[in-house]
Amino acid sequence: MKYQSQKVAYAYFMVAMGLFAIQVLGGLLAGWIYVWPNTLSELLPFNIVRMLHTNALIVWLLLGFFGAAYYLVPEESERELFSVKLAYIQLAILVVGTLGAVGSYLVGIHGGREFLEQPLWVKFGILVAAVIFLVNISLTVLAGRKTAITNILLMGLWLLSLLWIFAFINPDNLSLDKMYWWFVVHLWVEATWELVMAAILGYLMLKLTGVDREVVEKWLYVIVALALFSGILGTGHHFFWIGTPGYWQWIGSIFSTLEVIPFFAMMSFAFIMVWKGRKNHPNKAALLWSLGASTVAFFGAGVWGFLHTLHGVNYYTHGTQITAAHGHLAFYGAYVAMNLAMFTYAMPQLKNRDPYNQVLNMASFWLMTGGMAFMTFVLTFAGTIQTHMQRIVGDYFMDVQDQLGLFYLMRLGSGAVVVLGALLFIYATVVVRREVIKPGPVAVPGE
Amino acid sequence: MSEILTKSRARNVFYGGSLFFVVVFVAMTAHSHRFIVNTSTAGMELTDEVRQGKHVWERHSCINCHTLHGEGAYFAPEVGNVMTRWGVLDDPEGAYEMLDGWMKAQPSGVEGRRQMPYFELTEEETKALSEFLRWADQTDTQNWPPNDAG
């Protein structure tokens, strides 16, 4: 840690990991309710549990992005943050807003647009926090060295904050509501967040592999260009069946197919940088997470996205467990794992104790990734059966669901493994103090 | 490649290309906006009752169990075509009675079956909700879903 103000990232990462724990436990409960549906059905109905699961995810990923920005911008700009105090005020607003949202969900006060259920005052809180953040980070960057990494990171964060405006726009016409809702949801996760993800990945590659900055930054521009060229019109794959014109079926199919390319590019970028790089960075766990994130993002967002994105396929699979399978692996690979890569890289330095035992951290990677992959497979099978029975044969929804019990049981099991991995990650990152890197006995030549 | 594609060229392609796609996207959504208002949802008037029904739908976060036009949670049935499924799409009175009967029967309490909560709705709210669901059902969704099962 070269700059004192980078320390604010520590608070952001800690809060993010706390919410991460809530998110996966909420997911576990939801998975449990799928198998034993009478659980808590009157006290804490499924819709509330799901709200907690998705909202906690979104907020902790954003906190992770903010923390990552506060961590890497001073190093990139070669100066202290504009204001440490503002950064803590921003965090306080977000924590109060999050607790307020959780509290009001539990007593049944919430909006009704999926993922944007936060009460209005929380939405405003998020807006204020975003403005504080943008001011703080932009003033830091403008005063210091400009790099492609900060450039792309800032562009992603500015655009995603601007798109938040659409969280306040809720037309009475349901189809218009849906169309503008995607301006937040799709243009976050399949456009602007990809810029943030690419910037963080670029920074990690720079630090972990020691490849020339010029090479890393050129790659980055190519990746984010591919992301936006495909992702913006790729929004069309959500405009197939919501009352929007038929031409979106072609635009959406073509451009969302192209959305696979930036994820392939990101994965290739990560592996090529590691092969090219000569630096042997001691933080092997961060390297594992970086490579893992870009690989799982390619499969989850890229391959599993393509699986059901062509309109002829989507006509039958839309809104089945196929969508759930894709959603889980894509979010895990692209955004959860990339955030955890950043935490893994930065936390030892923020705690001033690197390098240290990372076996537990790496074990948590395999637990989470293995669990998530298995969950994706079983939900894909469940979704395939559902698509056939419900959309082709025409059996009723609940009759079909009754046939999928075994898959939901296996999903619960894989979810439990993910929770175990997540808790292990938090333990390994926050608690473990023992330094285990002991140089082995030096081999004496001739022995 | 490194001579042709320099970093500054890559950056310029990124900025220029993104701007181009943003412009195309905005133009297409503007057209779609008009299409929705004038064509695809024009089959039934967007009355105050339908508006109120949408608020009832939102206030109880129905979307986090059900899907509506295929979007939402996958825990409970699609409701974008529920009025067709019930055979009451063109019958406001019948639609209200079906919905009211359904809502009042929840939760079923059947062991091992997914439970829909009981929602405290006034007659006016239930009526509004059923009109909202009828309104949603008449939307031209390019023939989705493939059948009445939703």
Side-chain angles (χ1 to χ4, degrees), chain A residues 27-45:
Chain A
L28 188 67
L29 177 58
W32 178 278
I33 292 173
Y34 258 92
V35 180
W36 291 284
N38 303 82
T39 313
L40 295 174
S41 64
E42 303 200 18
L43 207 61
L44 195 61

Side-chain angles (χ1 to χ4, degrees), chain A residues 253-397:
Chain A
S253 293
I254 291 167
F255 282 90
S256 65
T257 300
L258 300 177
E259 281 186 48
V260 182
I261 300 173
F263 284 105
F264 185 76
M266 250 187 281
M267 180 175 66
S268 313
F269 163 67
F271 279 91
I272 291 171
M273 291 304 110
V274 172
W275 283 325
K276 271 192 167 176
R278 270 183 289 269
K279 198 170 176 181
N280 200 5
H281 197 281
N283 198 333
K284 294 285 175 251
L287 194 63
L288 177 66
W289 276 106
S290 306
L291 292 174
S294 54
T295 306
V296 181
F298 167 67
F299 282 100
V303 178
W304 253 259
F306 174 70
L307 193 69
H308 60 144
T309 204
L310 298 177
H311 65 88
V313 175
N314 193 261
Y315 183 65
Y316 295 101
T317 60
H318 182 48
T320 63
Q321 294 297 326
I322 301 266
T323 318
H326 159 62
H328 279 88
L329 198 64
F331 259 93
Y332 171 72
Y335 301 122
V336 171
M338 192 54 72
N339 259 309
L340 298 184
M342 189 66 200
F343 297 178
T344 303
Y345 173 76
M347 282 299 269
Q349 303 187 38
L350 288 166
K351 299 187 85 161
N352 208 8
R353 56 168 162 87
D354 61 318
Y356 66 109
N357 181 12
Q358 291 179 307
V359 175
L360 290 181
N361 181 311
M362 292 201 234
S364 81
F365 169 85
W366 291 109
L367 279 175
M368 273 188 264
T369 307
M372 218 23 128
F374 193 81
M375 184 187 299
T376 304
F377 298 146
V378 293
L379 289 181
T380 304
F381 289 129
T384 307
I385 293 173
Q386 183 187 2
T387 300
H388 180 74
M389 290 181 73
Q390 190 179 318
R391 296 287 162 72
I392 313 269
V393 178
D395 291 333
Y396 284 120
F397 180 90

Side-chain angles (χ1 to χ4, degrees), chain A residues 20-36 39-40 46 49-50 52-54 328 372 375 408-423:
Chain A
F20 180 33
I22 292 174
Q23 181 230 329
V24 292
L25 289 170
L28 188 67
L29 177 58
W32 178 278
I33 292 173
Y34 258 92
V35 180
W36 291 284
T39 313
L40 295 174
F46 183 85
V49 177
R50 184 173 185 269
L52 294 172
H53 179 56
T54 56
H328 279 88
M372 218 23 128
M375 184 187 299
Y408 292 139
L409 189 64
M410 289 195 285
R411 190 266 294 274
L412 177 60
S414 56
V417 174
V418 174
V419 171
L420 203 66
L423 297 179

Side-chain angles (χ1 to χ4, degrees), chain A residues 53-211:
Chain A
H53 179 56
T54 56
N55 280 237
L57 168 72
I58 296 163
V59 176
W60 89 254
L61 293 179
L62 285 173
L63 285 170
F65 289 160
F66 292 144
Y70 282 134
Y71 186 84
L72 71 82
V73 163
E75 272 186 28
E76 288 290 298
S77 302
E78 298 183 324
R79 59 188 301 113
E80 297 287 353
L81 285 175
F82 171 72
S83 165
V84 170
K85 201 168 148 197
L86 276 181
Y88 283 118
I89 292 173
Q90 181 206 345
L91 181 62
I93 293 172
L94 288 170
V95 168
V96 170
T98 304
L99 294 177
V102 170
S104 60
Y105 292 171
L106 290 175
V107 295
I109 300 169
H110 44 69
R113 295 169 94 200
E114 196 186 2
F115 312 133
L116 305 179
E117 297 92 348
Q118 307 80 24
L120 195 61
W121 69 271
V122 175
K123 285 202 178 83
F124 274 113
I126 294 172
L127 189 66
V128 172
V131 169
I132 293 175
F133 170 78
L134 292 172
V135 167
N136 202 0
I137 275 299
S138 302
L139 288 177
T140 311
V141 168
L142 286 175
R145 181 178 67 150
K146 281 115 195 137
T147 69
I149 290 174
T150 53
N151 208 355
I152 291 167
L153 182 71
L154 244 98
M155 192 173 159
L157 292 164
W158 267 98
L159 290 177
L160 82 85
S161 303
L162 283 176
L163 288 166
W164 180 246
I165 302 295
F166 287 96
F168 297 90
I169 297 173
N170 182 9
D172 291 325
N173 183 311
L174 177 70
S175 292
L176 289 181
D177 166 4
K178 283 176 174 290
M179 189 172 79
Y180 291 114
W181 178 79
W182 284 113
F183 277 40
V184 187
V185 178
H186 173 94
L187 291 178
W188 269 23
V189 299
E190 292 173 63
T192 51
W193 285 27
E194 279 184 58
L195 303 194
V196 178
M197 177 192 174
I200 293 175
L201 181 65
Y203 171 81
L204 288 172
M205 286 298 121
L206 201 61
K207 295 289 166 182
L208 295 173
T209 68
V211 167

